[in-house]
Amino acid sequence: MYIIGENIHIISPKVKKALAEKDAEFFKKSAIQQVEHGAQAIDLNLGRQKHTWEEVFPWLTKIVQEVVDVPLCIDSTNVEIKSTKVDDRRQT
């Protein structure tokens, strides 16, 4: 079984608030807790983000990768997001 942590989801009011405030610590803490509880990947579901995806997704992936060493799942219906390369900050 492969466990994917799904606590970073736009339907959560806490995630919406943290995203609006660019609260990096909220997302870092969430990612760490999910991995500590067995997640082998972290799902980032922030919805379509039509107007802010170029800023939001690189920012979020960077801060999550700073604190956990598991794959990220980019969960979005926005085709542009899915076709955009996000830097893997863990590469040396």
Side-chain angles (χ1 to χ4, degrees):
M1 180 183 334
Y2 194 76
I3 301 170
I4 300 173
E6 294 193 346
N7 288 342
I8 300 176
H9 196 296
I10 195 65
I11 64 170
S12 164
K14 290 179 182 179
V15 170
K16 284 182 184 178
K17 182 177 187 276
L19 187 60
E21 296 174 357
K22 287 202 120 177
D23 183 354
E25 292 307 310
F26 171 87
F27 293 107
K28 288 178 181 182
K29 182 178 177 183
S30 177
I32 290 168
Q33 287 176 341
Q34 291 178 75
V35 171
E36 286 176 345
H37 287 94
Q40 296 164 294
I42 300 293
D43 180 58
L44 302 178
N45 187 335
L46 300 180
R48 289 189 51 82
Q49 295 296 319
K50 274 173 89 172
H51 304 292
T52 60
W53 67 270
E54 289 179 324
E55 176 187 346
V56 170
F57 274 89
W59 172 76
L60 185 59
T61 56
K62 177 183 179 289
I63 63 168
V64 170
Q65 288 178 331
E66 287 175 357
V67 295
V68 296
D69 190 23
V70 297
L72 303 180
C73 299
I74 308 300
D75 188 351
S76 176
T77 58
N78 184 335
V79 175
E80 293 165 348
I81 291 172
K82 290 182 177 186
S83 64
T84 301
K85 181 185 181 308
V86 177
D87 290 336
D88 185 342
R89 305 290 179 183
R90 295 169 296 168
Q91 293 180 359
T92 55

